[in-house]
Amino acid sequence: QALPDRLAIHGYLTQGYGITNSLPLLGIPNDGTFDYRRVALLFRFKATPNDAFVVQIADRRLGESPLNDYTPELQLDWAFYERRFGDNTLLRVGKAPIPMGISNETRFQGTLLPFYRVPVGFYSEGGFTSETLNGLVLTHKINPASPWLLSATLFAGEFDYLQASSIPATESTPAAYIVGPARARNLLGAQLWLQTPLTGFRVGAGADRREDEGVLTEQISGSGATTEIWGSLDGNFDKLVARAEARRTEFGRGGSVYKSYYAQLGYRFTEALMVTAQADATDLSISIPGGVFKLPYNRDNAVGAAYTFVPNIVGKFEFHDADGYSNEAPVNFTGPPIESQYFILSLSVAF
């Protein structure tokens, strides 16, 4: 075969502008920033009908976030070998997307999202998250002929990520916002998706465990491994899109517990115009001497409009009303939550 028949090249670019009226949040300062971008090129080489090699390189900018200092200008995003065994089994080996939730594999592809980013509580942004793992991912369709199609995915490996948080003041040190490298080792997890007979509606659930190492690990972890569980409802109908997901992360027995949940409801008023409302919430429980300190860590309610000029060009405008303690600045966890309103204007292109 000629090379054009075996090599496919895809890409996307999302360029945004963000501004907030409060302390910096998600890289957005109160005087605005255009340094808000996601871009990637994906190369897929099909060696045989059942074998493929996939490489994706990317550049991501998060405004004025201190996380930028730990993010290379150009990074190797994906790099994996993919093997199909018949029609129902798929194996990926290398640096591959983690099968977690509805949108982890497409979390940066702006033409597929109703907002600039996926819900930050569930998927995070920059800190305490990774899109990929270094290891293997095995997916199998258990009953492909049934109207109740069940797919199971097993994954194992490790990944590097960033830990970032505001640190309260002590008698000897002032409050600070710190960022540092971390690693998740010995990751083992599974996810199930059940496609229902109702076209466009599916239900998912998953869990994993890992061993964390990082700059904040000693302060947030208890004994043993970090464990996570999550659940997903995904409905994509003619004019209506409805999604909801919840996730619980426990950093070892007796460690901090991170709970996140969101709901999205979108309606297509025309073929080109879609309006979406979103409620995104995160709760944090921190073990302290004498008990557990519970914190409504973040609340972010948003409404956004996405206009599809052509299928591969989408413009978006969104407004967020948020309050909590996730600002990228020293915050007082015992004080009132910080109220923030921010806007994001973006344009996404894909090919």
Side-chain angles (χ1 to χ4, degrees), residues 155-270:
F155 54 95
E158 62 184 30
F159 60 83
D160 295 320
Y161 68 107
L162 295 175
Q163 293 181 350
S165 178
S166 181
I167 300 299
T170 66
E171 294 181 357
S172 58
T173 59
Y177 185 83
I178 66 171
V179 179
R183 169 167 287 192
R185 303 174 63 90
N186 300 321
L187 171 70
L188 181 64
Q191 179 170 250
L192 296 172
W193 275 109
L194 178 64
Q195 179 65 58
T196 71
L198 179 61
T199 302
F201 182 66
R202 59 180 183 155
V203 179
D208 65 33
R209 57 90 60 201
R210 65 179 192 256
E211 297 167 7
D212 284 315
E213 302 171 355
V215 64
L216 293 174
T217 299
E218 290 186 3
Q219 301 181 47
I220 63 176
S221 290
S223 61
T226 296
T227 56
E228 293 185 298
I229 58 172
W230 63 87
S232 309
L233 299 173
D234 184 19
N236 196 336
F237 310 109
D238 182 27
K239 291 183 175 294
L240 187 70
V241 175
R243 297 188 177 104
E245 293 190 279
R247 179 181 176 189
R248 183 184 189 274
T249 304
E250 183 174 1
F251 292 91
R253 293 183 299 276
S256 298
V257 177
Y258 180 95
K259 298 178 181 179
S260 61
Y261 37 94
Y262 77 87
Q264 278 183 357
L265 185 64
Y267 187 80
R268 292 185 179 90
F269 286 89
T270 68

Side-chain angles (χ1 to χ4, degrees), residues 293-330:
F293 178 58
K294 296 184 178 181
L295 191 68
Y297 188 67
N298 193 49
R299 301 289 186 269
D300 189 322
N301 298 313
V303 61
Y307 189 85
T308 302
F309 297 98
V310 293
N312 66 325
I313 303 177
V314 181
K316 300 172 192 170
F317 177 77
E318 58 199 76
F319 167 74
H320 295 252
D321 181 44
D323 63 76
Y325 304 87
S326 62
N327 300 76
E328 293 171 314

